[in-house]
């Protein structure tokens, strides 16, 4: 199970940190991912992090502004978002990446994902 939190309303240029609490599986052995879906738009891959946390990958649209991280001792995935833009408005989901899929491909292939947390960037 994956449960996201930390979303909300923020002004352009602001910051938010999303969290994803994992349970029911060995979190530390899986690549984890964030993806998002804006209203009326398709799903967009945001970022991956490998199982040990040593390698992170980002979509060009968020590179330099978002930072993915994980705490394997706490079974928690994070997404630090800075310099937020209105176009970042979306529902954000964390997901578990199958062991057969390489981290950073942006393939949107997942074992399962959480219920999502809404991020709205607006003045």
């Amino acid at each position: 199970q994956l449960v996201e939190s930390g979303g909300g309303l923020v002004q352009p240029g602001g910051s938010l940190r999303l969290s994803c609490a994992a349970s029911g599986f060995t979190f530390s052995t899986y690549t984890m991912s964030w993806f998002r879906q804006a209203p009326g738009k398709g799903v967009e891959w945001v970022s991956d992090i490998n199982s040990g946390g040593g390698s992170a990958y980002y979509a060009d649209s968020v590179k330099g502004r978002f930072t993915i991280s994980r705490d394997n001792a706490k079974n928690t995935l994070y997404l630090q978002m800075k310099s937020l833009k209105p176009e970042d408005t979306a529902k954000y989901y964390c997901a578990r990446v199958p062991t057969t899929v390489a981290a950073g491909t942006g393939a949107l292939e997942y074992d399962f994902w959480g219920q999502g947390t809404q991020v709205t960037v607006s003045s």
Side-chain angles (χ1 to χ4, degrees):
Q1 184 181 8
L2 298 169
V3 179
E4 301 93 337
S5 61
L9 173 64
V10 63
Q11 291 187 341
S15 299
L16 277 176
R17 188 177 83 155
L18 306 184
S19 298
C20 171
S23 62
F25 65 99
T26 307
F27 179 73
S28 61
T29 65
Y30 287 90
T31 291
M32 297 296 296
S33 182
W34 288 98
F35 67 92
R36 65 188 181 183
Q37 186 167 26
K41 296 188 177 180
V43 175
E44 179 187 17
W45 172 72
V46 173
S47 182
D48 284 355
I49 187 166
N50 70 343
S51 58
S55 296
Y57 309 85
Y58 299 94
D60 287 344
S61 59
V62 306
K63 199 172 294 182
R65 300 187 299 119
F66 290 11
T67 303
I68 191 172
S69 62
R70 64 192 297 162
D71 186 335
N72 285 343
K74 295 183 178 180
N75 290 344
T76 304
L77 177 71
Y78 302 100
L79 186 68
Q80 178 68 52
M81 306 185 295
K82 298 180 179 180
S83 303
L84 282 161
K85 305 175 182 180
E87 51 263 44
D88 294 317
T89 294
K91 197 165 190 178
Y92 285 72
Y93 300 84
C94 65
R96 192 180 87 173
V97 178
T99 56
T100 54
V101 177
T105 62
L108 294 173
E109 294 181 53
Y110 301 122
D111 291 327
F112 54 86
W113 52 90
Q115 85 290 347
T117 186
Q118 179 68 38
V119 172
T120 302
V121 185
S122 175
S123 55

